[in-house]
Amino acid sequence: MRAQIKISLKKDVLDPQGRAIKKALHQLGFSEISEVRQGKYFEVDIDDSLELMASKVVERMCQQLLANPVVETYSYELVD
Amino acid sequence: MRAQIKISLKKDVLDPQGRAIKKALHQLGFSEISEVRQGKYFEVDIDDSLELMASKVVERMCQQLLANPVVETYSYELVD
Amino acid sequence: MINILDCKITPELVASHGMKPEEYDQLLVMLNREPTITELGIFSVMWSEHCSYKSSRVLLKTLPTEGSCVIQGPGENAGVVDIGDGDCIVFKMESHNHPSYIEPFQGAATGVGGIMRDIFTMGARPIANLNALRFGDPKHPETRRLLSGVVAGIANYGNSVGVPTVGGETDFDSAYNNNILVNVMCIGLAKTEKIFYSAAKGTGLPVIYVGSKTGRDGIHGATMASKEFSFDSQEKLATVQVGDPFAEKLLIEACLELMAGDVILAIQDMGAAGLTSSTSEMADKGGVGIELNLDNVPQRESDMTAYEMMLSESQERMLMVLKPGCESSAEKIFKKWGLDFAIIGYTTDSDRLVVKHNGEVHADIPVAMLVKAAPLYKRPWIETSKPEFIPTSTISTPSNTIESLKLILSHPQGCSRRWIWEQYDHMVMGDTLSRPGGDAAVVRVHGRDKAVAACCDVTPRYVLADPYMGTKQAVAECWRNLISVGADPLAITNNLNFGSPERKDIMGQIVSSVSGMGEACRALDFPVVSGNVSLYNETENQAIPPTPTVGGLGVLRRIDHMVNLAFKEEGNVILLLGPETGHLNQSLYQQIIIGSLSGEPPPIDLLEERRTGDFVRKLINSKKVFAVHDVSDGGLLVSISEMSLAGGKGANLLEYNGNLSTQGVWFGEDQSRYIIEISSVDSHAIIKSAEEAGVKSRVIGHVCGLTLMVGNEKIALEELRMVHEKWFSEYMN
Amino acid sequence: MNVCVIIFPGSNCDRDIKLALQKTAGFKVTMVWHGDSEVPKCDAIILPGGFSFGDYLRCGAIAARTPIMRCVVEKAKSGVPVLGVCNGFQILCELGLLPGSLMRNSRMLFVCRDVYLKVENTDTPFTGSFEKGDVISIPVAHHDGNFFAMQDTLNRLEGEGLVVLRYSDEAGAITSLANPNGAQRNIAGICSSNGRVVGMMPHPERACEMVLGNTDGKLFFKSLKSALTV
Ligand SMILES: Nc1ncnc2c1ncn2[C@@H]1O[C@H](COP(=O)(O)OP(=O)(O)O)[C@@H](O)[C@H]1O
Ligand SMILES: [Mg+2]
C-alpha cells in the first residue's frame, strides 16, 4: 500500500519559495498565475498487512515527523 | 481555479532525502515503512478565464520550470 | 530476467560504447575471443579518453613533476607536497563539465564530491575547495540557469560537508554557450607519515566496499566525458548521478577514523567508471589480480546486472584492501556512521580482473590489458598560427579614463563575484584567514602558526591567441597570486580543458599549451603534482577556447607573513613593480572598450617574472609592505580600484606623462607586475633595492581620502563600489 | 566548568565552537554523540551549526527527534542554559523549546557574510556581558535563517523582551537592507521565557580571533562564564 502525502504551508505563513516561483513564472510569461505555494510531497510504501490501521499510522507519521505543526498542514491518500 | 501539482523523482534517481526520512521513521518506531520518496508539491492559482486551456498551461509550467525533466516527473489535478 | 551473458556484440553496440572499430579489433586480438557485454563495457570505460588519457599521456610526460617539496606527483589520486613539521598538503583539480551542462546543480555538486574523495582517499582531511567556472554569453538564454544551478550545486555540497569554498574564478564567453566548464579543486591536510596509496599489494586480501549503495546512476559517465556533445545528448542520458553530501560527510569521518588505525593496505575512491576503474587501478598498481563477487555489492535497485554494477557511477563509495583479520573492527566504524560495508572480493595472484555474478563469470580480463595496454595516440597536430603583431600605438581609444574604468568594472568580465562566493560557506572550520575577493585564499593549518594559499587561474583569450604564451601566462599569474598574499609558491595542479584531440588544430593547441606550461613550471620551480584532462569540449563542431586551468598551492611558514590587497593607511606610497609597455592587445580594455580582441597576448619573460616575484616575497617577509596586489585582468587602474575598494581608502594617482599611451598605461595587461603599498619613509630605500635587484619600479601615487583620483579625473569610492557590485546581482535577479 | 556540545551526523561547526569555548573562556568541553542515551552532567549545553542529518526533510527536524533530545529538553526545563547556533537554533525550534520556525532565506540563496547585530536582551546567560543596544559584527552562514512566527507569537516575543539579537546596520538601525534573510522584524536570535534557552542564526564561534577578522563573538562565551560563576 502506498500513502501519497501532501504537506502545505499554513495560509498565514510566508512562503519565500512559492513567491520566487511565482515571479519566475511571470517572467516566463505565465501571467495567468495569481498565487503559488510550495509544499512537499511524499510517497511512503506501507506494509499491506496494516490494512485499516494504515491511515492511523500515516497520521502519526505526519504529526511526529513529516509536517512541522507550527507552519504546515498535511493531507494524504492511500492507494494500492 | 487551482492546480495541485506533484513532482516526483524518477524511479532510478537516488533520493537521499527519502532515504534519510525512512531511517528517521524507522527510528521513531514506524517499522511498517518499506520505502519513502520525497518530492515537491505546488498549489498554483490560475485565472478562471483559462478554463479548458488551463491544463495546457499547467503542462507548460511543469515542463518549463516546476519539474526538472532530467530527474523528475510530474502529475497534477485541477480543482475549483 | 534476460541472461546478459548471451548478449550479442554488434558493431552498433561497439560504436554506442564510444569505441572505434580499430580499437575493438585490437581488443579482439588481445583477448583472443569475443568479449561479453560486461567486458565490452569495462573496456569501453578503461580505454576512454577520460580514464586512459590516450591522447594526452605522451604530452603530460613532458611536464616537470619533481621538486624538493614533492612527496607524490601525478599518478595517484592526488598530488602531495611537504609543508614542513610533518604536515603535507594533498591537492588536485578535476572537471565536471558535461554533467554540469546536463544537470547543473547535481553535475557541479557531484564534481565537488568526487574531488573531495580523491583527497581524503589519501588520508587527508579536506580543508578547502576552489572552483574555476566558465559560462556562455550572459545574454544566452541558458546562461542564467546554468550559472545559478552550478553555483547552488557547489554551495550545497561543500557547505553541507562543512569544507569551506574559499576561492576560484568565473568567466563568460559565448564560446562556452553550449559547453560550460566546471573545474573544482580540493586541498587536504595530512601527516607525512600517514599517506594512503591505491596499490593493492599482496594476494588473498579482502577487497572491501564502503559508502553508499550502488544504483543505476551515471552509467557511462566516463565515455560521455570523452565524446563531443550534440543537442540530443539529453535524450540518450543515463540516470543522472545525484550527490548526497550528507553521506560524503559520514564517509569522510568514517574513513579518517579508520585511517587513524593501522588496518588499510590500499584505498581508492570510486570515481568515473566506478567499480571498474577502481578495481583495475588498484590491481594494476599492486601487480595483482582481483576477483569480485558482485552478489555482495550493496545495491539500491533490484535486478541490477553485472554490466550495470561495473559501470555505475553512484556517488559516495570507496574501495579498500584491508589487512586480513581487521574486517570486523573496520566494519564497526562504518556501521557507527550508518554506511554500508561489504567484502566484495579478494586479491589474487592471477593478474586478472574476474567478475562473478549469480554464480557465473561475467568478465575475466588480464589487468594489464585494461591499464598498461590501453591505446595510446600520438595524434597529428598543426601549430596555431601566430597572431599578427599590432603595435599598441595604432589602437585608437577614447580618452576618458574613469569612464573606461567604470565600463570595465561593471562588465560581466570585470565585476565583483560576490554574488557567487557569498553562497559558499567560506569560513566553516574556522581557519580561513583570507576570504574570497583577494588574490589567493589563505587557510591556516589547523592549530598551527602557518597556512597554505591557493588560487585558480587561466585567461582563455590569451591562450586562444597563443596557446604557448597564454599557458605560460596562466602558470605565472597563479604563481604571482600566491606571492601576493605572502606565500612561497610550491606546486600546481591543472585541468586541461580543450576540444576534440582528433582535430589537428585543437591537438596543436594542446601540444603548445602543455609545452608552455612545462616551461613556466620549470622556470618558476613550480612542479605539476596532479591534474586532469578534459577533451571533446565541443558542441556541433564548435570547440571551446583552450582553457588550461592552473591551480596553485603555496605555503606561509608563519601566519604573520600574510598580506592582502586592501589599502591600509592614508599617505602611504603606491608603487608599481615590474615592466610597463602599455600592452593592450587581448586585454579586457580591448574587449570591452574597443569592442573586439586582436593581436598577441602580453608576452611573458619568465626570468623577469621570477626576479620580480622573489623581490616582492622578500619585501613582504621584511614587513615593509602594507598591501600587495598583482596586476592582471583590466590592468593597473583596475587593480588599484580593487585595492581601494577592499580597504575603503581612495588613492591619488599621478598623471602619466611618459612615452606610452595613457590608455596603455592604465589598462594595459603587461605581465609580471605587482602594486605595493609602502610607507613614504621607506619608499626611497625600497625603490633603490628594487633597482639593485633588477626590478623596475615607478611611484604611481599615494593612498588618500575616499576618492579615486587619476590626474584631474575622479570618482568617489562609493560610486566605484556600486559600479563594481551591481551587475551580478542584477543579472541573477 | 563543563559544557556539552551535542554532535549529530552532519554537524560541522562542532569543532569550531569547542575551540571557542575552550580558548575564550577556559571551559571544559565534552562532545556528546547524538546516539548516546544521556547528556552527562554539565553546566550548559550547546547545539552547534552544520547540516544535521543532511538537513533533509527540514533543517533540524530529524535531529530534534533523536532520543538524546529528550534529555536536552529535561535539562533545559530544569534551567541548564542551552544555546543553539544556526542549525542548533533550527533544532530548538523543531523541538518546541523556542517558538517559530526558520524558513528558506527570502532571496532563496545560501548567505555567508559578516552582519551587524543589535543586542537587545542582556538577561540571558549568553548575552550578560553585553550592554543593551550594543552593535556587534559576526558572520552568518545559512540557507534557512528566515525567522517566522505567527503575529501573536511575535507580539508576545516582543512584549516579553525575548528578542535577543536583531540584524541592524553599523549604526544599529533596524533596516530591511541590513536583513540578510528576510527574517520577520529582523530577528536574528530569541530566547525562552525564562531566558535560559537561546537560539541564534549568526555564528559567534567564527568571530573569536583577530586573524579571522573579528572578536565580537567572544562575549557570548564570556557571558556564559560569568553567568555560571555567580
Ligand atoms: N567561482 C568562484 N568561487 C569562489 N570565488 C571566486 C569565484 N570566482 C571568483 N572568485 C573570487 O573572486 C576574486 C576575483 O577573481 P579573479 O578576478 O579571477 O582574481 P585574480 O585576477 O586575482 O585571479 C578572487 O578572490 C576569487 O577567489
Ligand atoms: Mg590576482
Side-chain angles (χ1 to χ4, degrees):
Chain A
M1 197 167 6
R2 170 172 290 180
Q4 298 179 332
I5 304 172
K6 295 187 273 194
I7 313 271
S8 318
L9 286 175
K10 287 185 184 164
K11 202 175 123 298
D12 292 339
V13 175
L14 184 88
D15 176 12
Q17 278 154 304
R19 209 173 46 183
I21 288 164
K22 180 171 110 184
K23 197 172 136 201
L25 285 171
H26 282 173
Q27 268 164 8
L28 287 171
F30 292 97
S31 51
E32 316 86 347
I33 299 314
S34 58
E35 189 61 41
V36 180
R37 305 282 286 170
Q38 172 160 353
K40 295 193 183 105
Y41 173 63
F42 297 98
E43 290 179 346
V44 180
D45 290 348
I46 309 177
D47 220 46
D48 284 334
S49 65
L50 276 185
E51 292 187 32
L52 297 174
M53 289 287 293
S55 70
K56 275 244 168 58
V57 171
V58 174
E59 285 277 349
R60 276 200 293 122
M61 285 193 317
C62 290
Q63 284 162 9
Q64 286 182 35
L65 182 71
L66 298 181
N68 174 355
V70 180
V71 285
E72 294 170 332
T73 58
Y74 59 87
S75 66
Y76 61 92
E77 274 172 74
L78 289 167
V79 295
D80 279 325
Chain B
M1 200 167 3
R2 170 173 289 181
Q4 298 180 330
I5 305 172
K6 296 188 271 194
I7 313 274
S8 316
L9 283 175
K10 287 184 184 165
K11 197 178 131 294
D12 285 346
V13 173
L14 175 72
D15 178 11
Q17 305 229 39
R19 207 174 47 183
I21 294 164
K22 178 173 105 181
K23 240 182 165 167
L25 285 171
H26 282 173
Q27 256 152 26
L28 287 173
F30 293 97
S31 51
E32 316 86 347
I33 299 313
S34 59
E35 188 62 40
V36 179
R37 303 280 286 172
Q38 170 158 358
K40 293 192 188 113
Y41 173 63
F42 295 100
E43 289 179 347
V44 181
D45 290 348
I46 310 177
D47 220 46
D48 283 335
S49 64
L50 276 184
E51 290 188 34
L52 297 176
M53 290 287 293
S55 71
K56 276 243 170 57
V57 171
V58 174
E59 284 279 348
R60 278 199 292 122
M61 285 194 317
C62 289
Q63 284 162 9
Q64 287 182 35
L65 185 75
L66 300 181
N68 175 351
V70 184
V71 286
E72 295 171 333
T73 57
Y74 59 88
S75 66
Y76 60 92
E77 276 171 73
L78 289 167
V79 295
D80 281 324
Chain C
M1 197 172 69
I2 52 152
N3 186 346
I4 62 158
L5 277 171
D6 296 340
C7 187
K8 182 101 193 73
I9 310 291
T10 61
E12 293 74 36
L13 198 56
V14 171
S16 76
H17 280 74
M19 200 178 253
K20 297 269 145 66
E22 47 298 358
E23 289 175 344
Y24 185 66
D25 291 341
Q26 193 184 339
L27 187 168
L28 288 178
V29 172
M30 281 197 206
L31 207 56
N32 202 16
R33 64 174 163 83
E34 197 164 274
T36 66
I37 178 76
T38 304
E39 287 173 333
L40 177 66
I42 290 174
F43 272 105
S44 77
V45 292
M46 289 308 293
W47 286 12
S48 72
E49 191 68 57
H50 189 82
C51 292
S52 73
Y53 289 85
K54 56 192 171 192
S55 302
S56 60
R57 215 153 69 203
V58 182
L59 293 172
L60 296 179
K61 286 223 171 73
T62 65
L63 292 171
T65 59
E66 281 167 19
S68 53
C69 68
V70 179
I71 295 177
Q72 173 66 54
E76 271 290 336
N77 284 303
V80 185
V81 293
D82 195 338
I83 56 162
D85 314 311
D87 300 317
C88 61
I89 292 291
V90 179
F91 72 110
K92 184 175 189 285
M93 195 187 291
E94 196 155 82
S95 64
H96 236 209
N97 304 338
H98 288 117
S100 303
Y101 181 72
I102 291 163
E103 213 312 277
F105 183 94
Q106 293 298 345
T110 52
V112 174
I115 192 64
M116 283 200 279
R117 283 193 293 286
D118 274 328
I119 301 309
F120 69 79
T121 300
M122 299 198 70
R125 178 175 284 280
I127 59 169
N129 288 326
L130 292 94
N131 55 94
L133 312 177
R134 313 279 153 188
F135 297 100
D137 185 341
K139 294 196 191 77
H140 188 272
E142 291 292 302
T143 300
R144 197 180 273 106
R145 181 184 68 86
L146 291 166
L147 173 59
S148 78
V150 164
V151 171
I154 292 172
N156 176 267
Y157 208 100
N159 298 355
S160 318
V161 171
V163 175
T165 303
V166 294
E169 59 169 3
T170 311
D171 268 331
F172 299 92
D173 186 323
S174 59
Y176 300 104
N177 277 357
N178 298 305
N179 202 130
I180 61 171
L181 300 185
V182 175
N183 293 173
V184 287
M185 173 169 161
C186 179
I187 295 171
L189 175 66
K191 284 282 162 207
T192 319
E193 86 281 349
K194 270 238 164 236
I195 302 170
F196 291 82
Y197 296 99
S198 57
K201 293 199 187 89
T203 58
L205 303 168
V207 174
I208 315 282
Y209 170 119
V210 296
S212 297
K213 293 188 196 319
T214 296
R216 295 193 171 91
D217 328 49
I219 291 175
H220 277 319
T223 38
M224 187 173 82
S226 309
K227 260 193 221 163
E228 298 119 74
F229 233 39
S230 61
F231 285 113
D232 64 354
S233 297
Q234 295 221 358
E235 312 307 323
K236 289 197 216 119
L237 242 215
T239 311
V240 165
Q241 298 122 284
V242 170
D244 182 356
F246 176 53
E248 178 104 338
K249 166 78 175 160
L250 305 181
L251 194 56
I252 294 178
E253 299 305 335
C255 285
L256 293 178
E257 189 172 330
L258 185 64
M259 284 164 167
D262 186 24
V263 302
I264 299 177
L265 292 173
I267 178 162
Q268 166 75 38
D269 65 296
M270 290 192 225
L275 265 176
T276 292
S277 71
S278 53
T279 47
S280 314
E281 277 160 28
M282 284 179 103
D284 176 66
K285 289 198 184 118
V288 297
I290 286 184
E291 183 173 316
L292 292 181
N293 184 352
L294 299 183
D295 301 353
N296 298 335
V297 169
Q299 294 158 48
R300 197 173 81 222
E301 255 97 47
S302 50
D303 299 335
M304 287 192 70
T305 63
Y307 177 90
E308 288 171 326
M309 274 188 264
M310 289 307 287
L311 268 61
S312 161
E313 295 194 350
S314 289
Q315 302 288 299
E316 292 94 20
R317 305 178 298 163
M318 305 277 259
L319 205 63
M320 313 185 293
V321 174
L322 293 184
K323 285 190 178 160
C326 299
E327 294 91 327
S328 68
S329 62
E331 178 165 14
K332 218 186 255 156
I333 291 174
F334 284 88
K335 287 279 157 314
K336 167 182 151 197
W337 289 100
L339 297 165
D340 273 297
F341 178 102
I343 302 175
I344 60 165
Y346 288 90
T347 59
T348 66
D349 60 6
S350 72
D351 293 333
R352 301 176 83 84
L353 176 64
V354 177
V355 178
K356 293 184 176 163
H357 185 39
N358 292 332
E360 289 187 278
V361 174
H362 285 254
D364 184 352
I365 309 169
V367 170
M369 272 189 179
L370 294 172
V371 187
K372 296 204 175 68
L376 191 60
Y377 298 125
K378 252 188 122 163
R379 301 209 186 260
W381 57 280
I382 47 171
E383 193 159 350
T384 308
S385 51
K386 283 270 171 264
E388 65 178 311
F389 177 78
I390 305 172
T392 301
S393 56
T394 65
I395 298 174
S396 73
T397 58
S399 58
N400 190 319
T401 306
I402 294 288
E403 269 319 302
S404 302
L405 175 67
K406 282 166 71 175
L407 285 170
I408 294 174
L409 285 180
S410 62
H411 190 270
Q413 289 288 84
C415 70
S416 160
R417 271 68 178 122
R418 178 185 304 275
W419 184 88
I420 294 181
W421 49 256
E422 278 197 346
Q423 293 184 56
Y424 300 151
D425 188 340
H426 46 266
M427 302 182 223
V428 64
M429 294 185 100
D431 287 312
T432 306
L433 304 184
S434 172
R435 302 179 188 179
D439 285 316
V442 181
V443 178
R444 176 170 54 189
V445 175
H446 190 66
R448 304 252 189 172
D449 181 37
K450 63 179 179 188
V452 293
C455 59
C456 301
D457 289 286
V458 62
T459 309
R461 60 178 189 276
Y462 295 171
V463 190
L464 182 65
D466 183 344
Y468 172 74
M469 193 59 86
T471 308
K472 280 212 299 202
Q473 190 278 339
V475 176
E477 181 173 345
C478 181
W479 193 77
R480 215 179 295 148
N481 275 325
L482 295 174
I483 298 260
S484 299
V485 297
D488 295 339
L490 291 179
I492 67 162
T493 180
N494 66 67
N495 207 136
L496 304 175
N497 307 275
F498 291 88
S500 166
E502 294 167 43
R503 280 170 50 182
K504 287 188 191 143
D505 55 333
I506 302 285
M507 197 60 211
Q509 292 174 343
I510 303 175
V511 169
S512 306
S513 176
V514 172
S515 140
M517 181 174 288
E519 181 169 334
C521 288
R522 270 184 290 270
L524 299 174
D525 198 6
F526 205 27
V528 180
V529 295
S530 58
N532 180 247
V533 179
S534 170
L535 303 180
Y536 298 96
N537 286 292
E538 39 189 82
T539 302
E540 319 267 280
N541 280 328
Q542 172 68 51
I544 58 158
T547 313
T549 313
V550 177
L553 184 91
V555 64
L556 291 93
R557 314 261 169 208
R558 288 178 43 187
I559 283 170
D560 64 7
H561 287 171
M562 185 172 77
V563 278
N564 62 26
L565 54 71
F567 279 145
K568 304 286 180 324
E569 233 172 86
E570 189 82 17
N572 274 347
V573 170
I574 302 168
L575 188 72
L576 171 69
L577 296 172
E580 266 189 301
T581 74
H583 188 103
L584 280 175
N585 288 336
Q586 298 297 341
S587 65
L588 273 193
Y589 182 87
Q590 208 188 33
Q591 181 179 5
I592 296 167
I593 310 295
I594 298 174
S596 71
L597 289 167
S598 66
E600 77 298 346
I604 197 157
D605 173 345
L606 292 166
L607 289 176
E608 181 164 37
E609 181 77 51
R610 177 130 197 193
R611 205 163 52 234
T612 313
D614 286 343
F615 177 75
V616 172
R617 187 153 39 150
K618 262 204 221 110
L619 212 56
I620 292 173
N621 290 350
S622 74
K623 305 254 177 241
K624 291 264 195 287
V625 284
F626 290 72
V628 182
H629 191 20
D630 70 319
V631 181
S632 58
D633 266 5
L636 195 54
L637 201 52
V638 166
S639 289
I640 291 173
S641 305
E642 288 165 354
M643 297 176 84
S644 274
L645 290 175
K649 294 203 159 35
N652 197 343
L653 307 182
L654 307 169
E655 192 132 28
Y656 177 76
N657 44 29
N659 307 328
L660 306 171
S661 87
T662 322
Q663 304 306 314
V665 166
W666 292 126
F667 300 107
E669 296 182 2
D670 291 306
Q671 295 297 298
S672 319
R673 302 196 296 169
Y674 300 81
I675 303 166
I676 59 173
E677 177 194 354
I678 51 179
S679 84
S680 56
V681 183
D682 292 333
S683 66
H684 272 298
I686 288 175
I687 291 167
K688 192 151 163 273
S689 65
E691 201 180 319
E692 282 162 13
V695 172
K696 299 181 187 94
S697 72
R698 180 168 74 88
V699 173
I700 44 180
H702 60 274
V703 179
C704 168
L706 293 171
T707 311
L708 183 65
M709 289 202 273
V710 188
N712 52 15
E713 294 181 53
K714 63 179 179 194
I715 179 168
L717 231 48
E718 275 325 295
E719 188 187 349
L720 199 62
R721 190 181 307 282
M722 209 200 59
V723 163
H724 192 40
E725 296 291 345
K726 204 171 73 164
W727 182 82
F728 226 113
S729 46
E730 278 183 3
Y731 175 67
M732 293 310 299
N733 213 323
Chain D
M1 262 173 278
N2 185 15
V3 177
C4 282
V5 175
I6 317 280
I7 317 176
F8 304 95
S11 297
N12 63 29
C13 301
D14 42 323
R15 185 184 81 178
D16 301 357
I17 211 154
K18 172 183 175 187
L19 277 177
L21 285 160
Q22 291 172 333
K23 280 199 181 160
T24 61
F27 283 111
K28 176 172 177 289
V29 181
T30 309
M31 307 303 268
V32 182
W33 181 241
H34 80 288
D36 296 354
S37 52
E38 226 168 301
V39 181
K41 192 169 148 18
C42 60
D43 302 295
I45 295 174
I46 305 231
L47 304 176
F51 288 70
S52 57
F53 296 91
D55 270 356
Y56 295 150
L57 185 58
R58 295 181 306 275
C59 301
I62 299 180
R65 286 153 183 87
T66 51
I68 192 125
M69 294 316 283
R70 257 177 255 138
C71 195
V72 172
V73 173
E74 262 168 41
K75 293 224 189 245
K77 298 239 154 99
S78 74
V80 174
V82 178
L83 173 68
V85 173
C86 198
N87 199 223
F89 185 11
Q90 294 160 342
I91 294 170
L92 290 173
C93 290
E94 279 283 342
L95 259 182
L97 277 180
L98 291 176
S101 174
L102 292 144
M103 315 282 287
R104 182 58 38 112
N105 294 348
S106 56
R107 283 166 63 231
M108 309 304 296
L109 304 176
F110 190 97
V111 59
C112 178
R113 68 159 81 124
D114 290 330
V115 296
Y116 290 105
L117 298 166
K118 190 167 179 183
V119 184
E120 298 203 349
N121 179 334
T122 53
D123 295 332
T124 82
F126 302 97
T127 52
S129 304
F130 289 102
E131 297 289 331
K132 216 170 163 143
D134 274 355
V135 177
I136 59 172
S137 166
I138 55 180
V140 290
H142 59 249
H143 208 164
D144 300 79
N146 180 350
F147 182 77
F148 176 88
M150 299 295 184
Q151 287 304 320
D152 50 342
T153 309
L154 285 174
N155 292 338
R156 180 178 68 81
L157 284 171
E158 305 259 17
E160 293 181 35
L162 304 181
V163 175
V164 179
L165 300 166
R166 255 188 252 265
Y167 302 109
S168 75
D169 67 13
E170 194 172 358
I174 309 301
T175 66
S176 63
L177 216 63
N179 186 338
N181 54 32
Q184 281 179 319
R185 306 190 191 180
N186 281 40
I187 291 174
I190 56 172
C191 64
S192 56
S193 295
N194 65 2
R196 306 298 283 174
V197 179
V198 173
M200 60 190 285
M201 286 316 293
H203 286 272
E205 78 279 11
R206 295 187 183 187
C208 292
E209 273 187 272
M210 216 45 233
V211 280
L212 298 179
N214 196 330
T215 57
D216 284 356
K218 281 184 172 181
L219 272 191
F220 289 89
F221 307 108
K222 290 192 169 157
S223 297
L224 179 61
K225 184 84 176 201
S226 332
L228 294 174
T229 311
V230 290

